[in-house]
Amino acid sequence: QDPGSPTSRSTCLERLSCIFGRRMSRHGDISSSPDTVGVCVYQYKMPRLHTREEVMDNARKICQCIKGTKQGLPGMDLIVFPEYSTQGIMYDKAEMMETATTVPGPETDLFAKACIENKVWGVFSLTGERHEDHPKKHPYNTLVLMNDKGEIVQKYRKILPWCPIEGWYPGDCTHVSVGPKGMKISLIICDDGNYPEIWRDCAMKGAELVVRCQGYMYPARDQQVLVARCMAWMNNVYVAVSNASGNDGVYTYFGHSSIVGNDGRTLGECGTETDGIQYAQLSVSGIRDARKTDQSQNHLFKLLHRGYTGVYNSGDGDKGIATCPFSFYKTWVENPLLAQAQVEEITRPTIGVECCPVAGIPKPSETLDPLVNELSLS
């Protein structure tokens, strides 16, 4: 057949599409495919709630959002809701402790039913999840990843609460779970994402999609939009950010929920609107192919094969250098109290400051008795 004929060119294009098309993440359609995970980030309005009854009513509203969104996006495999979307921020400690729940619990029972009925996976926020020593200790700030059978496949507790304001008890580890169509997923929450260590930890454990649920407010809009793109690029991961919108009487939430490709380019981003959504199809084979074949920007590979070009051409093997060159991290692992003291030398030795004091945090000149400095933002 004449290679220049229209038929031949058409056949070549079809073959190229078959080979490369399945490796492409994309934006703008309502579908998904066997190779792509349809991901939706839902920009829910930050609720202001006070009682268990109000929380359950709001959870039912979220379930209705799942139903409607799935109807409009038939390819949707995963829907993500913001931090605080279920219970809101309880600025009163008594309300916070009263509305703290369990996992599983009545809220996740509702979400499970919605996931089953709509054949979709979901990421849901629980603020808070009761501490094992409840009510003596503060709750956790928790996310759950739920599959389309209504099963909780990942429970993540926020490692880095937004101090000095947030009073959550910190979690202690990240997780990676196999999600829809085999994509490997990690969950992180809001202020977690300001620390590059957590992104790298998730990526090095195998995460292909890092979901960051936020209740992020002004004035930090520009910085947080930048963080999502930078961390996707630096860790060769997809990023899905679901942020709150609206005003809860205390803060105004800037939205800008987004889905970012593993090359750091934004596939879709909301504005500041309430109930906005973004949707994209993330290729499973595409990110795996990139991690296997990319070279100059394959940050995960290069970090543990440092300088392999020079090492190989010096006759010292083909693996580069694997040893960690960063002394701070060695100290942190081997002697965390020493690392803490080193940080205090370049910052401060107390959790409070004399200027602009925050309720619940003692100033350096005050007592450290928590009963004297009780948090009360009501």
Side-chain angles (χ1 to χ4, degrees):
Q1 193 176 52
D2 179 5
S5 70
T7 302
S8 178
R9 289 197 298 271
S10 176
T11 301
C12 288
L13 288 172
E14 288 176 2
R15 288 176 178 172
L16 287 171
S17 177
C18 180
I19 293 170
F20 296 108
R22 68 175 183 268
R23 299 189 186 279
M24 182 179 71
S25 295
R26 47 197 184 269
H27 174 268
D29 203 82
I30 60 174
S31 299
S32 63
S33 70
D35 180 61
T36 59
V37 178
V39 177
C40 173
V41 289
Y42 196 106
Q43 194 158 283
Y44 199 73
K45 184 182 187 301
M46 179 64 77
R48 183 68 182 270
L49 310 173
H50 303 278
T51 67
R52 291 285 308 150
E53 292 75 15
E54 291 176 343
V55 169
M56 294 305 293
D57 285 343
N58 186 59
R60 294 183 187 96
K61 180 180 176 182
I62 290 173
C63 293
Q64 288 301 309
C65 292
I66 297 171
K67 180 179 179 180
T69 307
K70 179 66 174 182
Q71 182 176 352
L73 300 171
M76 183 175 72
D77 298 300
L78 173 67
I79 185 168
V80 183
F81 288 90
E83 178 191 30
Y84 291 110
S85 54
T86 304
Q87 289 151 290
I89 298 178
M90 300 290 174
Y91 293 99
D92 179 90
K93 182 179 177 180
E95 291 179 353
M96 177 185 75
M97 300 303 286
E98 174 65 25
T99 57
T101 189
T102 58
V103 179
E107 295 87 354
T108 57
D109 289 346
L110 287 176
F111 298 147
K113 186 173 184 290
C115 287
I116 294 169
E117 290 177 349
N118 295 286
K119 299 179 180 178
V120 69
W121 292 56
V123 176
F124 306 102
S125 170
L126 295 163
T127 50
E129 179 202 1
R130 291 184 177 184
H131 192 279
E132 292 83 356
D133 200 13
H134 181 82
K136 294 181 180 179
K137 297 187 183 298
H138 277 213
Y140 300 103
N141 183 335
T142 299
L143 292 179
V144 295
L145 171 65
M146 186 172 287
N147 65 20
D148 56 1
K149 298 178 182 177
E151 301 166 334
I152 296 172
V153 298
Q154 184 175 145
K155 181 176 78 169
Y156 168 72
R157 292 168 169 172
K158 191 173 188 177
I159 291 175
L160 292 150
W162 189 52
C163 296
I165 301 300
E166 286 189 333
W168 306 118
Y169 207 90
D172 60 6
C173 65
T174 62
H175 310 279
V176 178
S177 304
V178 177
K181 299 174 182 174
M183 181 166 283
K184 298 173 183 177
I185 299 174
S186 284
L187 308 178
I188 66 173
I189 304 174
C190 204
D191 197 37
D192 282 335
N194 290 319
Y195 301 84
E197 292 82 1
I198 199 166
W199 298 90
R200 186 55 51 85
D201 191 62
C202 293
M204 286 301 189
K205 287 179 176 178
E208 296 162 330
L209 167 62
V210 177
V211 173
R212 184 188 187 194
C213 297
Q214 299 178 181
Y216 232 121
M217 65 291 287
Y218 289 101
R221 183 196 67 181
D222 292 351
Q223 294 87 339
Q224 297 314 314
V225 171
L226 182 65
V227 162
R229 299 181 66 182
C230 288
M231 291 300 104
W233 167 249
M234 293 178 182
N235 293 284
N236 307 125
V237 295
Y238 297 128
V239 173
V241 176
S242 179
N243 192 30
S245 60
N247 179 283
D248 67 355
V250 176
Y251 292 114
T252 297
Y253 303 87
F254 56 75
H256 283 270
S257 301
S258 65
I259 302 173
V260 184
N262 63 304
D263 59 359
R265 293 186 291 181
T266 301
L267 292 168
E269 182 179 325
C270 293
T272 60
E273 69 274 13
T274 294
D275 292 324
I277 64 166
Q278 273 295 344
Y279 178 77
Q281 301 173 63
L282 304 181
S283 170
V284 178
S285 66
I287 190 169
R288 294 175 184 176
D289 179 67
R291 288 180 172 184
K292 183 177 180 181
T293 62
D294 282 0
Q295 298 186 76
S296 61
Q297 307 302 337
N298 197 329
H299 307 120
L300 304 184
F301 181 85
K302 289 170 63 180
L303 184 62
L304 271 298
H305 299 78
R306 285 190 299 112
Y308 64 79
T309 302
V311 171
Y312 175 75
N313 284 286
S314 298
D316 291 333
D318 64 351
K319 292 291 188 180
I321 304 298
T323 306
C324 177
F326 307 117
S327 60
F328 167 73
Y329 290 107
K330 292 180 182 178
T331 303
W332 193 5
V333 170
E334 295 171 0
N335 192 338
L337 292 180
L338 175 60
Q340 185 181 67
Q342 291 174 346
V343 168
E344 290 180 352
E345 287 182 5
I346 59 173
T347 58
R348 64 175 188 268
T350 61
I351 60 174
V353 296
E354 290 292 342
C355 56
C356 300
V358 173
I361 303 297
K363 292 190 292 185
S365 58
E366 294 177 338
T367 175
L368 295 180
D369 185 351
L371 297 178
V372 175
N373 299 287
E374 185 60 69
L375 177 63
S376 179
L377 295 178
S378 58

